[in-house]
Amino acid sequence: MKKKISIGLAVLLAITAILAGAYFYFKRMEDNWQTNLSKKIESYAEVVSDSSSSFKSVDKANDWLISWAESKDVSYTKYGNNVLIMTRKAGEGHEEEPSTILFCRYDTKYPSGSVQSIATAMAILKTNIEFGELKIIFVGDTDREFSGISHIPSDEIPDGATVFNLGSGNKHMYSLTSGGSKAYTISKSISYEETGKDVAIKISITGAPGGVPDTKISSYPNPVVAIGKFMAKMQSDAINFELASFKGGDSSGIYPSDAEAVIVINKDDVDRITGKLDSLKDDFKEKYEEDFPDAHLEYEQLQESPQTVINKNDSSRLLSLIYTMLNGIYYKDENGEVICISSINMVDTTDENMLIKLSISSLSSAKMAEIDQAINTLAGLSEFTVKMTAATPIWSNSKGSDFAQKIKDDYLSYTSDRLEFIDSVPSTSCAILSKKFKKANIISITSTENSADEDGGVIMTYLLDTAK
């Protein structure tokens, strides 16, 4: 009897040891995937960042992405010029699970803005854990047009698939709603005249963060607006100067990172105007140095002065329009949440027309119509012509759906924090994706530099949970 008990006890102990070993094995595996994923994201971010100049061209971006896929033995398919899809087949036993899509849109006007999302997607694709079919869909566009999505074949995002729209910004957000947007070009013909003044000064701002205008728009520097308002203030104070040129930014939908203007003045006014520029420089430094140490405002006297300047009437209208045009937060709701923003993103006087490009984003159709009317009115008062160049509709998904709850559960599982969905005032690709792929589950994730690891971990948790 004792012998049987001893044998039974030994078997029980052996089973317990096996179960304990299995527990610790899988626990180590869980810990390892988190660590390994974090390392992969960091590594790929460096690789993509070093090659971000390739993403200034769709053709070069395709070449770079295909080269990476071939070096990693990743299957890919190219559709037209704008769409490249990398595919990882479902692991054994996971063939019936719905597809998961990591959607990475890159903008040739702002290539650095997609570094984190591309790195995160690549790291997840190359993880060594089995789950259902996974695809990365890369779409190249210019100036936030979102038009490349139309080239994605319908069967590449099947019904029931989950789409994580990956983007970057200054605010970390998981969004099931994003704003509508409009982009504008405001123009007026330009005329020049000879100058009788003899000293040229260049005013410049460089190193501003740029990026997609968002709800923090009022807290980071806009080089075009800063220089434009300075000159408009000199104009209103009857300070004698002439505008030779003004250029900044290169996009209607991306915040400018630099701008410069050349003014021509009399030698007797040099001390007065440079004194004002010194004050402007000090104010800019005090306001932005701590948060944006790379942003600098400088001025210099040029050795050669231009022979012609912009006609006084034209330059006055341009500077008045920049001074009065809406830029920043336009409207907040009763809870203090930002609902509508407007952003001046480009100015250019180097051609036959003076150009201003700007964009608006809003979670309210009514507020968008209101600001649209204001833009047309302000431009008309300065005798500029307005042309709307792009529009994206408001997008909204149910925050009470089973899909939304699953995302919240997986976020809680990975971070131990509760997820609050935040409406994205800037427009996202989701509006166009949801229109074409009506039966897909779509969520937008906006990552900051500090949240990419966490967001990658949440997506992996979703994949592993789906694969159980």
Side-chain angles (χ1 to χ4, degrees):
M1 185 70 174
K2 289 182 180 180
K3 188 173 182 181
K4 288 182 180 179
I5 292 174
S6 298
I7 293 172
L9 181 61
V11 171
L12 180 61
L13 290 172
I15 293 172
T16 302
I18 292 170
L19 291 174
Y23 169 80
F24 287 113
Y25 170 78
F26 286 111
K27 185 70 173 67
R28 284 195 303 273
M29 185 183 76
E30 179 182 296
D31 292 340
N32 283 340
W33 79 250
Q34 295 175 9
T35 301
N36 291 338
L37 181 64
S38 178
K39 289 179 179 178
K40 273 190 170 69
I41 291 174
E42 181 180 1
S43 174
Y44 285 144
E46 290 181 6
V47 171
V48 179
S49 180
D50 289 343
S51 304
S52 61
S53 61
S54 296
F55 289 82
K56 292 181 179 179
S57 156
V58 174
D59 288 337
K60 290 182 179 179
N62 284 333
D63 290 343
W64 189 89
L65 290 167
I66 288 171
S67 177
W68 182 86
E70 290 176 344
S71 71
K72 301 295 181 181
D73 196 27
V74 171
S75 174
Y76 65 88
T77 307
K78 186 170 176 284
Y79 296 99
N81 192 48
N82 295 75
V83 178
L84 182 71
I85 301 179
M86 298 183 189
T87 302
R88 171 177 160 169
K89 292 182 180 180
E92 188 175 351
H94 301 287
E95 292 85 358
E96 300 303 315
E97 292 159 15
S99 298
T100 300
I101 314 296
L102 307 180
F103 185 82
C104 295
R105 177 191 163 277
Y106 61 90
D107 197 308
T108 58
K109 291 285 188 181
Y110 183 47
S112 62
S114 41
V115 168
Q116 289 296 339
S117 56
I118 292 174
T120 300
M122 286 177 166
I124 293 171
L125 188 76
K126 289 302 294 178
T127 193
N128 293 322
I129 301 176
E130 295 296 324
F131 38 71
E133 182 184 59
L134 179 67
K135 297 179 183 179
I136 308 178
I137 299 183
F138 296 98
V139 173
D141 268 320
T142 298
D143 207 2
R144 292 179 57 74
E145 291 175 346
F146 303 116
S147 59
I149 294 170
S150 64
H151 300 290
I152 303 173
S154 298
D155 58 355
E156 288 288 3
I157 302 182
D159 293 350
T162 292
V163 180
F164 290 94
N165 176 59
L166 305 182
S168 64
N170 296 303
K171 186 175 182 180
H172 187 209
M173 297 182 290
Y174 284 64
S175 303
L176 292 171
T177 298
S178 61
S181 66
K182 292 182 179 180
Y184 305 84
T185 295
I186 303 175
S187 63
K188 185 183 184 305
S189 61
I190 193 171
S191 58
Y192 292 88
E193 59 190 18
E194 291 186 0
T195 178
K197 304 184 187 303
D198 41 23
V199 177
I201 295 178
K202 183 173 77 172
I203 310 164
S204 62
I205 295 176
T206 57
V212 178
D214 59 23
T215 54
K216 293 187 176 182
I217 188 172
S218 297
S219 65
Y220 48 77
N222 184 323
V224 169
V225 172
I227 294 176
K229 287 194 170 183
F230 171 76
M231 292 189 295
K233 181 66 167 55
M234 288 206 301
Q235 178 178 274
S236 66
D237 291 342
I239 295 174
N240 193 9
F241 75 96
E242 295 172 334
L243 178 62
S245 63
F246 189 13
K247 181 174 175 59
D250 64 352
S251 165
S252 60
I254 304 296
Y255 217 57
S257 58
D258 52 60
E260 67 173 45
V262 175
I263 60 174
V264 185
I265 61 177
N266 290 320
K267 65 175 68 174
D268 294 341
D269 293 324
V270 170
D271 289 343
R272 182 185 182 194
I273 291 176
T274 55
K276 289 185 174 296
L277 283 165
D278 285 333
S279 296
L280 176 68
K281 184 176 178 179
D282 290 342
D283 291 344
F284 186 90
K285 183 176 181 180
E286 181 179 354
K287 186 174 182 180
Y288 297 117
E289 183 177 40
E290 183 175 350
D291 294 326
F292 306 102
D294 295 329
H296 299 287
L297 188 152
E298 304 289 348
Y299 70 90
E300 62 176 315
Q301 185 172 323
L302 302 178
Q303 291 184 345
E304 294 185 9
S305 182
Q307 298 301 305
T308 59
V309 294
I310 298 171
N311 174 276
K312 188 68 175 177
N313 288 332
D314 288 343
S315 64
S316 294
R317 290 188 177 98
L318 174 68
L319 297 180
S320 295
L321 181 55
I322 290 176
Y323 188 83
T324 57
M325 183 53 70
L326 306 170
N327 181 81
I329 295 172
Y330 176 75
Y331 178 77
K332 292 183 179 181
D333 65 13
E334 61 274 10
N335 298 318
E337 296 295 328
V338 176
I339 298 298
C340 189
I341 62 174
S342 177
S343 174
I344 299 173
N345 299 319
M346 191 191 105
V347 64
D348 190 355
T349 65
T350 58
D351 206 343
E352 295 179 355
N353 289 309
M354 298 185 291
L355 297 179
I356 296 175
K357 292 189 177 183
L358 69 152
S359 63
I360 62 174
S361 298
S362 181
L363 294 165
S364 163
S365 297
K367 291 300 174 185
M368 184 171 288
E370 193 177 293
I371 195 172
D372 178 271
Q373 183 177 0
I375 287 170
N376 279 276
T377 299
L378 291 169
L381 290 172
S382 292
E383 300 182 11
F384 277 72
T385 300
V386 179
K387 180 181 180 182
M388 189 178 70
T389 56
T392 304
I394 295 171
W395 166 73
S396 187
N397 206 348
S398 173
K399 295 179 183 178
S401 66
D402 292 342
F403 171 66
Q405 186 57 52
K406 177 163 176 48
I407 296 295
K408 293 178 77 169
D409 290 344
D410 290 330
Y411 184 90
L412 178 63
S413 174
Y414 185 75
T415 68
S416 299
D417 291 327
R418 295 189 180 279
L419 174 64
E420 294 293 333
F421 293 115
I422 299 173
D423 294 345
S424 170
V425 176
S427 58
T428 67
S429 302
C430 299
I432 312 302
L433 284 167
S434 64
K435 187 176 181 179
K436 181 168 183 177
F437 303 99
K438 294 180 174 62
K439 295 184 179 181
N441 297 307
I442 302 174
I443 183 170
S444 179
I445 301 179
T446 303
S447 299
T448 65
E449 283 187 14
N450 298 323
S451 73
D453 283 4
E454 177 183 292
D455 298 333
V458 171
I459 295 171
M460 272 293 297
T461 301
Y462 173 88
L463 287 165
L464 294 173
D465 188 48
T466 304
K468 287 180 180 178

